[in-house]
Amino acid sequence: MNTAPTQHAAEIASSLAAVIDKRDAPHPARRHREHIAELLYTACTALLEAEQPAASGTTGAGPVPADAALPLREAEILASRAPGTGLPTGFTAIVLAPVTGRAPEPPSPVNLVSPHLAREEAKLRARLALVEEWLLDTQHPDVVPAYVALSLALRIKLALIADTIPVDEPLPYRQR
């Protein structure tokens, strides 16, 4: 059982690193993915070594350890500079949610006019919110890896939907 928000966040960071490290990647992106996984493992270590709150049993709303936040930010920056990794913006958002006590922000909506894509996006958003809520509420570390893998997969699918519509495409395909 999770005894502290930082421990839960560490489990999430470790699971996310494992998922990213295991994913198949084209040769040029493999090096970037390995580095991103290392950064996530660094954040995991920092979270495990962070001082726990004085009152046990508190959940969230605590300070974010700087030693954990920095490698997470670096992982996001690296992923944005190396799009071949296939990792969407905000993929690390779930890691610190147990510490902050706030659910991560979902990806920005695409505002699709296509009814099919709009329905698909709505379904994915609903599933993502549910999975991430389960992940934050779970008290069993053995289910964390499955929820993390599903959260990442849903975020990737949402990013792929956003990428199918060119930014310079005129209406009705994309609203601005």
Side-chain angles (χ1 to χ4, degrees), residues 86 88 153-165:
L154 291 169
R155 284 182 175 271
I156 289 170
K157 286 181 182 182
L158 282 166
L160 289 174
I161 287 177
D163 288 345
T164 62
I165 310 300

Side-chain angles (χ1 to χ4, degrees), residues 77-99:
I77 291 169
L78 180 56
S80 70
R81 290 182 180 165
T85 63
L87 298 170
T89 301
F91 74 97
T92 65
I94 193 68
V95 173
L96 293 177
V99 176

Side-chain angles (χ1 to χ4, degrees), residues 40-87:
L40 289 165
Y41 285 126
T42 300
C44 173
T45 301
L47 288 162
L48 289 173
E49 293 174 352
E51 270 188 45
Q52 302 303 318
S56 63
T58 59
T59 57
V64 174
D67 291 345
L70 183 61
L72 293 174
R73 181 72 183 130
E74 288 179 28
E76 285 282 345
I77 291 169
L78 180 56
S80 70
R81 290 182 180 165
T85 63
L87 298 170

